[in-house]
Amino acid sequence: ISCLTMALTGFILDLVSHNKIVQIIVSIISVMSGMYIEKSFRLPDYQIVNTTSYDPDGEILVEIDQNRISEISKIITSKNKTIRSAFKPLSGEITELDDYYVIDVDKNDDVNQFMNNFKNMDGIKWIEPNEIIPFDFPQRTEIESMDKYGKLSNDPSVNMQWHLSFLNMEQYYKFFISNNIQPQRAATLYILDTGIDGSHEDLPSDLTKNKDKQGHGTHCAGVAAAITNNNIGVASMTPNKDWVKVKGIQVIGDIGFGTQKSIIDGIIEATDNGADVISLSLGGITNQERQKAYNDAVKYANDKGAIVVVAAGNANLDGKRYSPANAENVITVTSVNEKSEKSGFSNHVENLKMGIAAPGEKILSTTPSNTYTAFSGTSMATPQVAGLIAVMKAINPKLNTQTVYRILNSTGKETQNTLRTGKLIQPLDAIKALF
């Protein structure tokens, strides 16, 4: 429309080139018409719809000074609200997580108003809503055998795993064999998700036999730690079954929802059970500028030796708006395609401190009942990073988040837009950097 308007204006001005007054009048009319057209046809500014909702069984998380808990509890119960302890970390002496409580208000109460009324009360150290996290299931995709990638392992479906060739995993696997590299100990990787089908033929046999009705958690487990070179199914980031113990904690319900509290509970449980790496292919948009409970949970995991890896999210937005992708001291993972371009669905990490990229489109992996499915999403990119970090931790159990990120970032490759995606992981180079 703008081009047509300019062309028509130019044509008229040329016709009346002998009359300067008419030219001025036509120019004024053209400008005014352009402003009207632009206003009439302009798409509305993009706005994020506030879809935040709160756990009906406990809408508020509050951190309370233990010297004032009795007094504050009486005030809350006097208003016909209930209050109970939120988290029970085993190592309470190194964290403030056991100072958190859940407040359950009436369904007709204004949660924000209730928090505003209490946030300045003496003894209230922090207060925030216990948000419901709607699970963003990845897109199922069809793939074909791609012989151009060659045979990376003896797993029958490995030639359908383009992302492994893209990451030079053939040389990665050979490096471990030719140099006879052995783990100091098997690293423990926790997948916090929809559960894991622990009876799957291509997952480690010591996996807890729990359920996974949605299949998402089983898929993530396979991306990270399916048994490589066992003549079954697919390959993964682990050289063989001796490197990584993968375990699952269900923090997302069977119908696709979790809560901030359930995810933090999962982080605490994984940490207290000896996690080396915690992988979270989950999250959602948040209206909170800062969520202290997530930050405290990640710090608790870090202090006990675990590294937390989180998906950036699949809304093509700023990852800073997504939680727990925006938590402090997590490694946040974006998705790229075969051209090293940011996937159209992937959030970006331009405003986050530790962003990194991995392939996230058409990723074939394990799904329940000994099946294999390809999905696309940052959920698929995240366990590649988590699985690689688990292998790194198996070589050097003392690695911490900052050191691991420095290695991944320094050995990573530039993408088509590194500022928004972070560097693309290079597994072989990351492992070599440990020696």
Side-chain angles (χ1 to χ4, degrees), residues 34-104:
M35 292 173 63
Y36 173 77
I37 291 171
E38 192 273 339
K39 182 178 180 180
S40 300
F41 288 90
R42 183 179 62 196
L43 291 173
D45 291 337
Y46 180 74
Q47 294 182 341
I48 299 172
V49 178
N50 182 356
T51 57
T52 302
S53 55
Y54 310 123
D55 183 357
D57 294 327
E59 294 86 351
I60 297 169
L61 285 173
V62 58
E63 184 183 5
I64 301 175
D65 184 337
Q66 290 302 292
N67 294 322
R68 305 293 295 277
I69 182 61
S70 177
E71 172 189 347
I72 292 174
S73 293
K74 289 179 181 179
I75 295 173
I76 291 173
T77 55
S78 70
K79 298 182 180 294
N80 296 319
K81 320 300 179 190
T82 60
I83 181 171
R84 64 183 186 275
S85 179
F87 309 120
K88 298 184 182 300
L90 288 181
S91 303
E93 70 280 1
I94 66 169
T95 182
E96 296 179 343
L97 285 167
D98 51 0
D99 292 344
Y100 280 85
Y101 293 80
V102 174
I103 298 176
D104 187 16

Side-chain angles (χ1 to χ4, degrees), residues 90-293:
L90 288 181
S91 303
E93 70 280 1
I94 66 169
T95 182
E96 296 179 343
L97 285 167
D98 51 0
D99 292 344
Y100 280 85
Y101 293 80
V102 174
I103 298 176
D104 187 16
V105 301
D106 297 331
K107 63 180 181 178
N108 296 323
D109 286 340
D110 185 327
V111 173
N112 292 320
Q113 183 61 49
F114 185 90
M115 289 192 299
N116 285 332
N117 292 340
F118 273 82
K119 67 180 182 180
N120 295 321
M121 180 183 296
D122 289 342
I124 299 293
K125 299 166 67 176
W126 183 258
I127 191 167
E128 62 185 61
N130 179 25
E131 295 178 347
I132 287 179
I133 307 298
F135 196 61
D136 183 15
F137 287 102
Q139 178 183 359
R140 181 171 180 164
T141 55
E142 299 297 328
I143 58 173
E144 298 177 356
S145 176
M146 296 171 281
D147 293 331
K148 66 179 180 179
Y149 292 120
K151 196 73 172 174
L152 284 75
S153 68
N154 63 24
D155 304 290
S157 295
V158 72
N159 59 345
M160 301 175 73
Q161 295 182 279
W162 73 270
H163 67 287
L164 297 179
S165 292
F166 185 69
L167 295 177
N168 193 30
M169 294 297 284
E170 181 178 9
Q171 297 304 315
Y172 172 90
Y173 299 141
K174 288 180 178 178
F175 180 77
F176 286 90
I177 295 172
S178 61
N179 293 280
N180 192 29
I181 298 174
Q182 300 296 325
Q184 284 197 34
R185 60 171 174 78
T188 302
L189 168 63
Y190 270 88
I191 306 289
L192 273 54
D193 213 286
T194 59
I196 300 177
D197 178 5
S199 61
H200 197 286
E201 63 183 5
D202 204 17
L203 292 175
S205 59
D206 62 348
L207 186 61
T208 303
K209 303 297 188 292
N210 57 9
K211 62 177 182 176
D212 181 14
K213 291 186 177 180
Q214 294 290 353
H216 188 271
T218 303
H219 194 276
C220 291
V223 172
I227 303 171
T228 303
N229 274 319
N230 66 339
N231 285 297
I232 298 174
V234 294
S236 73
M237 308 307 290
T238 61
N240 59 55
K241 62 182 178 61
D242 299 325
W243 283 83
V244 176
K245 295 179 181 179
V246 61
K247 299 180 181 295
I249 296 176
Q250 185 175 6
V251 298
I252 300 295
D254 293 337
I255 60 173
F257 290 91
T259 67
Q260 188 170 329
K261 181 184 180 303
S262 71
I263 294 169
I264 292 171
D265 277 333
I267 294 173
I268 294 170
E269 181 181 347
T271 299
D272 285 339
N273 282 283
D276 290 295
V277 183
I278 300 172
S279 182
L280 298 108
S281 288
L282 49 80
I285 197 165
T286 179
N287 292 305
Q288 301 180 57
E289 292 183 1
R290 178 171 174 264
Q291 292 169 296
K292 187 175 183 295

Side-chain angles (χ1 to χ4, degrees), residues 353-425:
K353 293 180 180 179
M354 290 189 287
I356 206 76
E361 299 186 23
K362 299 180 180 179
I363 306 300
L364 181 69
S365 183
T366 51
T367 40
S369 302
N370 293 332
T371 59
Y372 301 85
T373 310
F375 288 130
S376 295
T378 56
S379 286
M380 286 60 257
T382 301
Q384 291 172 56
V385 177
L388 173 59
I389 294 173
V391 174
M392 294 170 71
K393 288 275 282 185
I395 294 172
N396 182 357
K398 295 182 180 180
L399 289 172
N400 60 27
T401 302
Q402 287 69 32
T403 302
V404 164
Y405 178 73
R406 178 180 54 78
I407 292 171
L408 295 180
N409 186 60
S410 63
T411 61
K413 278 188 177 181
E414 299 286 339
T415 70
Q416 296 295 332
N417 193 337
T418 305
L419 182 64
R420 294 173 71 81
T421 64
K423 293 279 194 70
L424 173 65
I425 59 167

